[in-house]
């Protein structure tokens, strides 16, 4: 019963460094999403995927890239981290756009 | 633009009193509506959802929500608040369109005092 697993849980980056956040789900869900949560802003959609090999931009995609090479994995990349990307990142997956399962989050600090 | 509004940043209630956390939405068609709760340094926990049918939806931990189509609202309610209900609450909407993601409100902090 793993559900949605996010790796890593915490990370500190220096400005300009790159990193990849991994989201893995074991529920055979078609749809996967990356959100960022900032105080007073709620959760904002970064990118999403409606199936293996497909990705699309959300509300705040700038500075991020994603890949969905396997159905169960959805990767979020930061090529050159900026302090404005300090946030808590949540991954979610869903089936038929109905039930959504969220990961426990990745807390990223860019210094 | 499609959006969700939670007009109150914070709601304060005394333990044992009823609570209401407000949510209104601006989405075309017949959306699906959700409430989530987040405790400090934790992920999002699902409380309840409205898809169709009875306008009063019952969910986890004694929470319920009332869907009002004419007012485009989906307020979260609980008859008797507990201190342990203190958390951050998010209303979310999924437009009735395949391939779309949840749109979240900015969240309301509920503080229940003893």
């Amino acid at each position: 019963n793993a559900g949605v697993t996010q790796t890593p849980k915490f990370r500190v980056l220096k400005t300009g460094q790159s990193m990849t956040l991994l989201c893995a789900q074991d529920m055979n869900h078609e749809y996967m999403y990356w959100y960022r949560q900032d105080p007073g802003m709620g959760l904002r959609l970064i990118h999403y995927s409606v199936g293996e090999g497909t990705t699309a931009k959300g509300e705040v995609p700038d500075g991020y890239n994603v890949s969905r090479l396997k159905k169960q994995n959805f990767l979020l990349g930061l090529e050159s981290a900026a302090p404005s990307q300090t946030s808590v990142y949540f991954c979610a997956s869903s089936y038929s756009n109905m039930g959504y399962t969220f990961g426990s989050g990745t807390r990223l600090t860019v210094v | 633009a499609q959006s969700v509004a939670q007009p109150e940043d914070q709601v304060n209630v005394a333990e044992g009193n009823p609570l209401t956390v407000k949510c209104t939405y601006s989405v075309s068609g017949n959306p699906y509506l959700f409430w989530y709760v987040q405790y400090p340094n934790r992920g999002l926990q699902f409380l309840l959802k409205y898809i169709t049918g009875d306008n009063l939806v019952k969910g986890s931990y004694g929470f319920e929500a009332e869907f009002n189509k004419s007012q485009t609202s989906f307020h979260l309610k609980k008859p008797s608040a507990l201190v342990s209900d203190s958390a951050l609450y998010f209303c979310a909407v999924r437009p009735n369109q395949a391939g779309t993601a949840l749109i979240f409100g900015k969240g309301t902090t509920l503080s229940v005092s003893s």
Side-chain angles (χ1 to χ4, degrees), chain B residues 43-84:
Chain B
L44 275 73
Q45 294 182 24
F46 170 78
L47 279 179
L48 50 81
K49 67 181 178 185
Y50 173 84
I51 305 298
T52 186
D54 193 348
N55 289 344
L56 186 63
V57 180
K58 294 189 182 298
S60 305
Y61 312 119
F63 284 93
E64 58 190 26
E66 186 170 12
F67 170 64
N68 187 317
K69 187 173 183 177
S70 63
Q71 297 185 2
T72 61
S73 66
F74 190 54
H75 301 330
L76 182 69
K77 300 181 180 183
K78 187 173 183 182
S80 179
L82 299 172
V83 172
S84 57

Side-chain angles (χ1 to χ4, degrees), chain A residues 19-21 34 63-67 75-80 85:
Chain A
M19 78 164 293
T20 300
L21 283 68
W34 275 108
Y64 305 95
N65 56 76
V66 288
S67 64
L75 279 63
L76 177 71
L78 287 73
E79 292 187 347
S80 179
Q85 295 177 304

Side-chain angles (χ1 to χ4, degrees), chain A:
Chain A
N1 290 349
V4 175
T5 302
Q6 291 185 230
T7 310
K9 296 190 183 304
F10 304 93
R11 185 74 185 268
V12 178
L13 282 180
K14 293 183 179 179
T15 298
Q17 286 185 319
S18 63
M19 78 164 293
T20 300
L21 283 68
L22 170 64
C23 177
Q25 53 96 1
D26 61 0
M27 298 168 286
N28 202 35
H29 285 175
E30 285 294 329
Y31 305 97
M32 296 187 75
Y33 315 88
W34 275 108
Y35 289 90
R36 60 176 288 172
Q37 181 184 12
D38 303 291
M41 302 292 289
L43 277 77
R44 293 180 292 169
L45 184 67
I46 305 172
H47 286 279
Y48 65 100
S49 169
V50 300
E52 182 179 324
T54 70
T55 63
K57 294 180 179 180
E59 179 186 357
V60 288
D62 293 344
Y64 305 95
N65 56 76
V66 288
S67 64
R68 183 103 181 264
L69 298 179
K70 295 182 178 181
K71 186 177 184 179
Q72 63 268 34
N73 295 336
F74 194 29
L75 279 63
L76 177 71
L78 287 73
E79 292 187 347
S80 179
S84 61
Q85 295 177 304
T86 293
S87 188
V88 181
Y89 292 85
F90 286 101
C91 176
S93 70
S94 72
Y95 61 96
S96 302
N97 284 346
M98 292 294 288
Y100 294 82
T101 302
F102 282 84
S104 58
T106 296
R107 188 173 297 273
L108 175 66
T109 302
V110 183
V111 297

